[in-house]
Amino acid sequence: MTDRTIAPEGMPRPSGEHGQALLDLVWQYFADSLCWPTFDYVDRKLYASGLKFEEAVQQLCPALLRGVDAGLWRLPQSATELSLTVAGAANCTRSAFLIDIFLTMVRRAASIEPHFVPEEPGVLPELRPNDVEDLMPAQVELPSIVNRDLVAKQVLFTSYALGRYEPCFRGGNHATDTYDWKLAFDRDIRPFADVRQVDEYWRIREQVLGPTRVEADNTLFHKSPVPDVAPMPKAIPDVLVADVDAAEAMHVTCMLHPLIADVVAERFSSGFFVDAVARAFQAVEHRVQTLVGVSEIGERLMGIAFGAKPGPPQLTVTRSTGSSLESEQNGMQFLFKGATAALRNPRMHGPDAKDARDEAEEMLVFASFLMRRLDIEDDKRKAAAAGP
């Protein structure tokens, strides 16, 4: 019989056995595969064991599990990753070692931050494997047939994946085949400089997030009731009533461009709306840089890419022909420049902004639109490369 792990006092815990089973399932997959499972995998495994995801998840909260809409307005998409927070992992067996490594990584990042000198404005310090390669305790006993260096890389990679979406860091990226990774951070790492225990980390984490966010994170997932709509006064003409009802009932749903969804899904579902929007427009900017082949950033980059004078634009993202072509070219240049100046820059360079969920969704859709327009140039280049 496996001993049940319970997070220390003061940290969130599942409210029932079904929620615990969901946590265990996600953690076991993560420990075995070094990556987080998709909703489709978790849903099927739970169903095969006689549990329903939509019932089990209501015994958890966002402070334990990421990737689920807090109000359960809709279930996650099949390919959406479900990941555990540090508190979620702390409620699972055989997680203490990886959490200790993660906390040591946090302290290491905090020791690097004060001495970091950026090469250009807006660049954040990063933690990489070579910064923490000494964290694998030498006293850990491993079978003689095991490659110790490989195990050390895997342990650090798993700890990175555990902390990637924690608020002490600013996200990161990785290469699974080589177990290479990097974590970005900024001045918000400072409160964690001396953290040693997971409950201490969690207490500081809640202080950093603030009471409003903490209250939301610790509220169990629950199906939000559909709000009642008050009847329109009879004095209003029927034609106006029909127009108002149609507007209020309209709900547009669209699939984000994969390159946007990949970088924002976890941050958005965790409530980091500002960070999600910043990442979306960073992804747009990076793709423009790649297509143009320059290292410029911001509005200057967009002018180089989409400017039509003295020659044609380097990137073609238009659909119009004839007399409307020049107008659309100019307009697209303004859209990309405006997105950089008005939406990306304020969220990258501060002061700290706060985005409402609805407005953040709208900005992500806009970023997705820009990314799909870049597909036009990409597809044109692929067609040319495939031609005779």
Side-chain angles (χ1 to χ4, degrees), residues 15-68:
S15 65
E17 293 182 357
H18 293 177
Q20 183 64 59
L22 174 51
L23 287 185
D24 289 338
L25 177 59
V26 173
W27 179 256
Q28 189 59 55
Y29 182 94
F30 176 67
D32 293 342
S33 307
L34 306 187
C35 63
W36 296 109
T38 63
F39 166 72
D40 187 60
Y41 173 87
V42 173
D43 182 48
R44 291 180 186 276
K45 285 291 186 180
L46 282 177
Y47 187 74
S49 66
L51 300 178
K52 293 183 178 180
F53 177 87
E54 46 268 63
E55 295 176 357
V57 76
Q58 294 187 61
Q59 296 181 354
L60 302 177
C61 61
L64 295 170
L65 179 69
R66 300 187 187 93
V68 182

Side-chain angles (χ1 to χ4, degrees), residues 87-356:
N91 281 282
C92 298
T93 56
R94 295 183 295 277
S95 63
F97 176 70
L98 289 176
I99 290 176
D100 285 344
I101 296 293
F102 161 72
L103 295 179
T104 309
M105 291 167 64
V106 172
R107 295 196 300 273
R108 186 65 54 85
S111 69
I112 293 173
E113 189 272 334
H115 310 289
F116 175 73
V117 179
E119 295 181 358
E120 59 184 59
V123 175
L124 296 178
E126 294 175 339
L127 192 72
R128 298 173 180 267
N130 61 343
D131 296 318
V132 291
E133 58 189 3
D134 59 322
L135 297 185
M136 183 69 176
Q139 64 270 25
V140 174
E141 296 184 4
L142 297 173
S144 58
I145 61 173
V146 173
N147 184 325
R148 187 178 186 87
D149 290 339
L150 177 60
V151 171
K153 287 183 178 180
Q154 292 174 336
V155 168
L156 293 178
F157 183 85
T158 311
S159 297
Y160 145 79
L162 176 62
R164 182 183 179 189
Y165 300 115
E166 285 295 308
C168 57
F169 289 110
R170 287 292 171 263
N173 51 55
H174 61 273
T176 307
D177 55 340
T178 60
Y179 302 116
D180 192 23
W181 52 268
K182 60 182 179 180
L183 280 170
F185 52 94
D186 57 18
R187 68 190 309 275
D188 287 346
I189 197 75
R190 298 175 188 176
F192 302 92
D194 299 317
V195 66
R196 299 282 173 179
Q197 303 296 327
V198 66
D199 54 341
E200 179 187 8
Y201 167 80
W202 198 259
R203 185 177 68 254
I204 297 172
R205 182 187 192 272
E206 291 187 332
Q207 293 172 355
V208 170
L209 293 180
T212 302
R213 170 67 187 280
V214 170
E215 181 181 0
D217 279 357
N218 284 275
T219 301
L220 294 177
F221 292 111
H222 62 285
K223 292 185 178 180
S224 301
V226 178
D228 295 330
V229 179
M232 297 297 295
K234 294 299 183 182
I236 299 180
D238 290 342
V239 63
L240 294 182
V241 172
D243 289 343
V244 173
D245 285 347
E248 289 182 348
M250 184 175 179
H251 179 75
V252 177
T253 301
C254 68
M255 295 290 291
L256 292 179
H257 190 287
L259 295 179
I260 298 297
D262 286 348
V263 298
V264 308
E266 292 293 342
R267 301 305 283 174
F268 187 88
S269 63
S270 298
F272 295 98
F273 303 137
V274 172
D275 196 23
V277 172
R279 285 168 184 246
F281 289 102
Q282 270 187 296
V284 171
E285 181 182 65
H286 177 69
R287 194 176 186 197
V288 172
Q289 287 176 323
T290 303
L291 289 171
V292 177
V294 300
S295 58
E296 290 288 349
I297 61 173
E299 293 178 75
R300 178 173 172 76
L301 168 66
M302 302 309 171
I304 294 173
F306 302 104
K309 296 179 181 179
Q314 295 193 38
L315 301 185
T316 302
V317 295
T318 52
R319 299 189 187 279
S320 297
T321 58
S323 59
S324 298
L325 176 58
E326 183 178 356
S327 175
E328 188 182 2
Q329 285 177 340
N330 292 334
M332 293 307 301
Q333 179 183 182
F334 294 144
L335 286 179
F336 277 88
K337 279 188 172 183
T340 298
L343 303 180
R344 174 199 179 277
N345 290 352
R347 289 162 182 80
M348 293 298 299
H349 306 307
D352 291 342
K354 294 190 181 301
D355 289 328

